[in-house]
Amino acid sequence: MTERRPTELEGQSPGGKRKGLKLIGTPHRRVDGMAKVTGQTVFADDFVAPRMVHMKLVRSTVPHARILRIDTSLAERMPGVLGVLTGESMPNTFGILPVSQDEHVLCRDLVRFVGDPVVAIAATTEEVAAEAALAVVVDYEPLPTISSVAEAIATPEPQMHDYADQGNIHKVVSMRFGDVDAGFAEADLILEDDCFFEGNTHLAMEQHATVAIPEPDGKITVYSSTQTPHYLHKAMTKVLEKPASHIRIIAAPNGGGFGGKSDPFNHEICAAKMALQLGRPVKVCLTREEVFYCHRGRHPVQMHLRTGFTRDGRMTAQHLKTALDGGAYGSYGVASTYYTGALQTVTYKLPRYQFDSIRAFTNKPPCGPKRGHGTPQPRFGFEVHLDKAAEKLGICPGELRLKNVVEPNTVTANYLKVGSIGLRKCIEAVMEGSNFKERHRKLPFGRGLGLACSSYLTGAGLPIYWNHMPHSGVQLKFDRSGGIAAFCGETEIGQGSDTVLAACIAEVLGVDLMDIRLCVADTDLTPVDLGSYSSRVTIMMGNAAIQAAERARELIAKAVAEKLELPVSRLVFADRRVFDAEDPEKGLDWPDAVIAAESKFGTLGTTGSYSPPRSPGKFRGAGVGPSPCYSYSACVLEVEVDPETGLYTVDHVWMAHDVGQSINAASVMGQIEGSIYMGLGEATMEESAFRRLPARLSNALVHKFPSLLEYKSPTFLDMPKMTTYVIEDPDPNGPFGAKEVGQGPLLPMMPALANAIYDAVGVRVDQVPIGPHMILKGLDDKAKGKPGRYGPGPFPAFDFGEPLDVPTLDEGGDGKATNNAARGLREDRGTMKIIKS
């Protein structure tokens, strides 16, 4: 291979000068020794692949500022630097949601958090690119820095984004289902609580990385560690202004995602742009610190709960308020806002329900979806709230929950359709396994048991871009050797989706897993699958795979029945054969069965697709929360607390999860225990905390823990003993009855710990992560005759205005709102007023 060495001369791209791009050295062109193109023919033997280029991003060092000047001259003169990109080269914005296309690949006028990308540098080595990035000079004009929801409410100007509902409040939601006031009037006990859930990050083992490879015909192929190749493809099409058919995204198997790789990211699009301009492959690998800046992790959320109970523990109404610190950009934030309230009703019966929420823009890395997307925060508040209610009512916490479990095949107050529900069995399993009734409130001081439950989606009921097309598709190709090629856009992120795809096909056709070759997550070759998020892959891909396999089975059965002179109804597909159920010796080996079908029908291939059933809700906001089915979990946690230091250890976790039907038992157990691990981290130590630098030095708002040296996560030595119960309650909407298992078991861990600490030492910690100093403060206050509590103050003052009113089914509702409180918010002489649209 010949090497094309860069020169010190500044050149231009083959297509002429482009805004925001400077090429240093000779760009890759089709010349002697390179690709020769004649019509549609590329002579590969004459092609010499150009060497890989490495890219680094220059990131903002200030949290909020106007960009006054960018000087890249020193970087450009460094030996080995090949190209420089600035925001002018990519003027189009992008984002994951159609309602929040608010990001530039490289900031053009404003930076909104420390870490916002401003310049991209390409060089012959990663070290040269990193050194050149340090040589770039950016001058800024500082703007006010917003660090919290309260500051966002108090600082409507300057707006970080002009599409916000109100000032720097990104999203405002207010919905009321049924006569909530009447529900509270029926209550014998009305309980109110304020809770806080600190933000945290995904901490996937593999950092983000992308390789972009330009092709001789002007197309581009991008390999990236993404959970959503389909949506990355959409974003690249918009920003690069190229036809979608000229961009190919291949999602490499991810070393963990947990939601952190489900947005389209700056570095992915920037690598593609640089590759197209240089005509050379471009590679970018983010450092761990940069991953903390990409973030899209758990939102910090403050909550206020008000719930009515009868004397026997039945809930009569609930009013939930949530306030989300969203960071600098929209990301999934609109959906995240709704998710902090939507799923409250699918676990326990809430006949009347009101939900108010705001999401604020702040000058921090943008938050987004992390395992459980938007639901762990209110689940923490709700389950701690229920524990307090049980004590006030003199009812066992387990019995209180059992009394309120949602019935199967019902519609909730906010019009979510619940199918199968194995929560009762989950609660009974963990209570029996831990001897909860016999031991709760009866252990020695310093030891305690806590109980909590949860529910979660098995796939979101609507796509991000609303349409009537399938959410997942599978294509099967059969060859005469008996091999099956399965094509699907699903993305393997370590959750075992590749195995599930092969298993569903093998189960229907009676073949071995080794007979199936997978081609997945390739936007050129595979049918669309919307991505690995919301625990959607098994149910959507699985149902599509089953449909494709059943269609193939029908064709093969007709051909084999004709050849064997048997009725189709007597044929069995098993053990790589198709045979007579009444005379198993009479049949065909699998390859011969495929040949018989190809002889009869021609080249053999089938497709399958899946779209979820429609939700009964028809009001604004009804698109968040519906799911083909819901999974359920229950957890008991045992803790030992040292009252002298506040230090505590989690000794044992009992976790039961309603998985519907287990397809791969080892994967199911792994997901449950992985959720226990991640939940333990969020409960005990993980936090994305920020601090302001001293004013005399900088106005920066910086991440306190942007590395694995400081951001603490549990190790093997921190893991408690685990007892896992797999509860099988098959749901008719799932493939073979399967439901999700990847996210739901995380949710009860945090409240179970808080409840166990109260049982151990009588201190309520109403926020997570729970630190020893919080327990000590509660014990100290308790010794002084004050309430033994550590937690947030009052919910931020905010006028949510008139809620959207939706009568429940019990009140004769039809899923539609009776008013039109879809909200438009405008500024009027410095005061925010609600304007009804």
Side-chain angles (χ1 to χ4, degrees), residues 4 18 21 74-75 79 140 143 179 199 240 287 320 364 366 417 486 508 519 578 586 705-706 736 774 795:
R4 181 174 298 278
R18 289 172 171 84
L21 171 78
L74 285 176
Y140 298 103
L143 294 170
D179 190 342
L240 300 180
T287 65
L320 170 67
K364 302 175 185 176
K417 190 172 183 179
V508 173
C519 177
V578 183
K586 187 176 183 179
F705 313 122
F736 308 116
M774 300 176 184
F795 190 84

Side-chain angles (χ1 to χ4, degrees), residues 351-434:
R352 306 167 186 90
Y353 177 54
Q354 182 169 344
F355 169 54
D356 297 330
S357 185
I358 53 174
R359 182 183 191 263
F361 284 127
T362 59
N363 296 117
K364 302 175 185 176
C367 296
K370 185 189 173 185
R371 200 173 191 173
H373 188 190
T375 63
Q377 301 96 320
R379 178 57 51 189
F380 170 76
F382 199 0
E383 294 294 321
V384 170
H385 191 61
L386 287 177
D387 211 57
K388 296 177 183 180
E391 184 175 44
K392 287 185 177 295
L393 293 167
I395 301 174
C396 167
E399 293 301 324
L400 178 70
R401 288 167 171 82
L402 288 169
K403 190 182 293 289
N404 285 284
V405 167
V406 167
E407 297 297 328
N409 303 310
T410 54
V411 176
T412 67
N414 59 337
Y415 289 88
L416 300 180
K417 190 172 183 179
V418 176
S420 66
I421 173 168
L423 180 57
R424 188 174 299 276
K425 293 179 181 177
C426 290
I427 296 171
E428 291 170 348
V430 296
M431 288 181 67
E432 180 180 348
S434 63

Side-chain angles (χ1 to χ4, degrees), residues 58-65 111 113-118 134 136 138-140 293 693 698-702:
V58 178
R59 297 180 179 273
S60 170
T61 57
V62 296
H64 195 200
V111 294
F113 69 97
V114 173
D116 227 354
V118 180
L134 294 173
V136 173
V138 184
D139 291 336
Y140 298 103
Y293 297 144
L693 295 180
S698 168
N699 70 335
L701 181 69
V702 297

Side-chain angles (χ1 to χ4, degrees), residues 277-334:
Q277 303 289 37
L278 293 177
R280 297 176 66 162
V282 173
K283 179 179 182 179
V284 57
C285 297
L286 301 192
T287 65
R288 179 62 66 177
E289 183 175 359
E290 287 181 297
V291 174
F292 278 95
Y293 297 144
C294 281
H295 195 43
R296 318 299 159 126
R298 186 88 70 217
H299 284 75
V301 178
Q302 185 161 350
M303 298 152 273
H304 180 81
L305 297 98
R306 184 171 185 256
T307 308
F309 299 85
T310 59
R311 286 187 180 86
D312 64 356
R314 181 175 57 86
M315 283 184 272
T316 62
Q318 184 176 94
H319 184 181
L320 170 67
K321 296 179 183 179
T322 65
L324 293 76
D325 182 338
Y329 292 100
S331 183
Y332 284 83
V334 172

Side-chain angles (χ1 to χ4, degrees), residues 12 47 50 97 113 118 186 260 345 362 468 475 566 584 644 648 672 677 699 826:
Q12 292 184 3
F47 180 75
L97 300 185
F113 69 97
V118 180
E186 293 175 10
T345 59
T362 59
H468 297 287
Q475 187 171 12
L566 292 170
E644 298 298 321
Y648 60 90
I672 294 173
Y677 164 80
N699 70 335
R826 301 289 185 268

